[in-house]
Amino acid sequence: MSINGKAYIAGAFEHPTRKAIDKSLAQLHAECAKGALEDAGLTKDDVDGYFCAGDAPGLGPLSLADYMGLKLRHIDSTETGGSSYLIHVAHAAEAIALGKCKVALITLCGRPRAEGMATGTAPRSYGAGTPDIAFEYPYSPTVVNMYGMCAKRHMHEFGTTSEQLAWIKVAASHHAQHNPNAMLRDVVTVEDVVNSPMISDPLHRLDCCVISDGGGALVVVAPEIARSLNRPLVKIKGAGEALKHQMGGRVDLTYSGAAWSGPTAFEEAGVKPSDIKYASIYDSFTITVLMQLEDLGFCAKGEGGKFVSDGNLISGVGKLPFNTDGGGLCNNHPANRGGMTKVIEAVRQLRGEAHPAVQVPNCDLVLAHGTGGSLGTRHGSGTLILERE
C-alpha cells in the first residue's frame, strides 16, 4: 500500500531546552505534545493515535497516554533507535490510510545531559538480551569507537580524509550560528575540526555530536483534517525503512541501511535524489552524514568526501543544503536520538519557517533520514520524502 498523499504533517515542535534539570521526562513529552498540537491548531482531545519509542518512560505509550490524558484507538512503540521517529511518521501515515486513526501524535524526549550520561564513550550493550552481547561486551564497545571503525574503513577503501569529514561540521556550524537555541553557535573551520582532540581515531571531538536534553513532537493527520486547518500542507510523499545487521560477521562497514530505505522512499514518492531541495541527515558523527549521503544516492559510493567538501552542504552556497538548524553536530541531540529533529527542520523548510539566513528558496521537496543503533554493528534506517502541496 502506498502512503503517497495519504497523510500530512500538520504540527511540529522542538523543545527549546538543552538542559532540563527542572523537568521530568514525562513532563518534557507532554510539553512537546502540547507545542506540536498547538502548532497544528488541534488539542489533545483530537488525538486518537499515539507513537513513541524507547525514550518514553515507564510502559511507553501506556504510561504517557495515561499521563497526558489521551483517549486512543491506535498505539505504536516501534523501537529502532534514532530512526524510530521517521519510521513512526510512515507508520502513522499507514494507520491513517487504513482508518485506524485520524490524528497521530509522535513524541521524543530525553535528559542525558541533565543525568550526566556518557553516551558516546561509555560501554554500550543494547541490553542483556541482545544475542551477540556475550561476544561484544567483553571488549567494551562504545558508540564513538564503533563509528570510528566505519570512518577508518571508509578512509582505507576510498581515500576519504579527515579534512573532508570536517567540512560537514563546518557546514553545520554555519547554520547553527543563526539558531539561538543551538548548543554550539561558533562557526568553525576545517582546521578547527582536525586540530580538536582525537576521541576515537580518526574522529576528533568536533566530529562528534553534542549531548543535550530536550525533544520534539509531530502531528500527522488525515488529508481532510489537514485541509481544514490553517497550516501549510506538508504531504508525506514517500517512506522507506530498513535494518542492517552483522550478517554473522560478513559485514561491510562502508555502507548503512540507507542503501535500502532510501531507494524505497524515492520509488514510492516518484522522485530522485537530484529533485531534492533540502536534506535533513542524521548526524551523530560526521562519518554518519557522509555514508548516508552516498547510500541515499546523492553521490556515488566512495565519493562522499568530495561531495561534502568546499561548503557543498551550506545553505546558499552549496548544491545540497543540510541540517539548517545546526543538526546534532551543533544544535541538539536529545535522548541520544536525533531523528525527530530531522523531520522538524524539514517541515520548517517546506513551510518557509526556517531562519531567513538558511531558508532554502522555493523549497518544495525535502528528504529527512535517520539512523538508529550503530553504524558499526546493528542499526535501523528510516527515510521520508516530504512535499509542500
Side-chain angles (χ1 to χ4, degrees):
M1 178 189 69
S2 173
I3 62 171
N4 192 334
K6 301 292 179 61
Y8 291 73
I9 298 177
F13 178 81
E14 179 184 350
H15 205 289
T17 189
R18 299 295 180 264
K19 190 171 185 180
I21 57 175
D22 59 340
K23 298 179 186 295
S24 70
L25 189 55
Q27 185 177 358
L28 287 172
H29 276 271
E31 290 179 1
C32 287
K34 181 175 183 289
L37 288 165
E38 289 178 348
D39 180 59
L42 297 167
T43 72
K44 72 178 183 65
D45 295 331
D46 296 309
V47 176
D48 58 353
Y50 179 56
F51 296 69
C52 64
D55 58 284
L59 295 174
L62 301 182
S63 298
L64 284 177
D66 185 23
Y67 180 81
M68 292 189 281
L70 303 177
K71 296 181 179 179
L72 304 171
R73 296 193 294 136
H74 187 76
I75 59 173
D76 187 326
S77 56
T78 297
E79 170 60 272
T80 60
S83 59
S84 301
Y85 317 93
L86 295 101
I87 291 175
H88 286 171
V89 172
H91 287 190
E94 292 170 359
I96 289 169
L98 290 170
K100 300 294 185 181
C101 60
K102 287 185 176 294
V103 177
L105 171 67
I106 306 166
T107 63
L108 152 80
C109 289
R111 301 178 68 252
R113 188 179 179 202
E115 295 171 7
M117 296 171 60
T119 57
T121 54
R124 190 168 184 176
S125 69
Y126 295 105
T130 304
D132 294 340
I133 192 62
F135 303 96
E136 294 178 3
Y137 201 67
Y139 299 95
S140 298
T142 69
V143 174
V144 67
N145 63 29
M146 288 191 283
Y147 279 73
M149 280 196 309
C150 295
K152 199 70 170 179
R153 189 65 194 180
H154 204 280
M155 290 178 169
H156 173 76
E157 291 281 349
F158 307 115
T160 308
T161 68
S162 291
E163 288 75 14
Q164 290 172 330
L165 289 177
W167 271 107
I168 299 169
K169 181 74 166 197
V170 171
S173 73
H174 273 268
H175 299 150
Q177 67 177 315
H178 305 293
N179 183 350
N181 293 321
M183 287 184 66
L184 304 179
R185 296 187 66 191
D186 291 339
V187 175
V188 299
T189 65
V190 169
E191 291 73 23
D192 291 333
V193 179
V194 298
N195 289 327
S196 64
M198 185 70 74
I199 303 299
S200 182
D201 191 16
L203 298 178
H204 302 82
R205 184 165 63 195
L206 292 182
D207 285 298
C208 307
C209 69
V210 299
I211 296 173
S212 76
D213 299 343
L218 298 163
V219 179
V220 181
V221 302
E224 64 273 18
I225 294 177
R227 295 189 176 98
S228 73
L229 302 171
N230 187 28
R231 301 300 287 139
L233 292 173
V234 176
K235 179 197 293 185
I236 300 168
K237 195 171 177 66
E241 59 186 77
L243 301 176
K244 184 188 177 190
H245 51 79
Q246 297 179 107
M247 296 170 281
R250 297 184 297 275
V251 62
D252 182 346
L253 292 174
T254 64
Y255 71 93
S256 71
W260 300 300
S261 65
T264 300
F266 280 115
E267 181 179 4
E268 182 170 48
V271 300
K272 54 188 183 299
S274 59
D275 296 321
I276 299 297
K277 303 287 184 64
Y278 163 81
S280 279
I281 304 292
Y282 196 90
D283 55 345
S284 49
F285 301 90
T286 52
I287 185 61
T288 320
V289 177
L290 186 144
M291 286 173 54
Q292 290 170 131
L293 288 171
E294 294 176 341
D295 296 334
L296 291 166
F298 290 108
C299 61
K301 177 55 65 179
E303 295 184 4
K306 180 180 177 181
F307 183 82
V308 302
S309 295
D310 302 320
N312 196 41
L313 302 180
I314 300 175
S315 185
V317 176
K319 293 189 301 182
L320 185 68
F322 103 120
N323 296 10
T324 44
D325 60 343
L329 288 170
C330 294
N331 176 26
N332 67 341
H333 193 236
N336 320 316
R337 298 158 175 264
M340 171 68 75
T341 54
K342 299 299 165 279
V343 185
I344 292 171
E345 184 66 5
V347 170
R348 290 192 193 111
Q349 281 287 349
L350 287 174
R351 290 175 168 181
E353 296 173 354
H355 190 282
V358 297
Q359 176 65 52
V360 177
N362 304 312
C363 188
D364 56 359
L365 189 68
V366 306
L367 175 143
H369 177 82
T371 290
S374 170
L375 283 187
T377 54
R378 60 197 67 79
H379 66 265
S381 289
T383 308
L384 294 173
I385 309 293
L386 307 175
E387 181 181 50
R388 185 184 68 230
E389 187 174 282

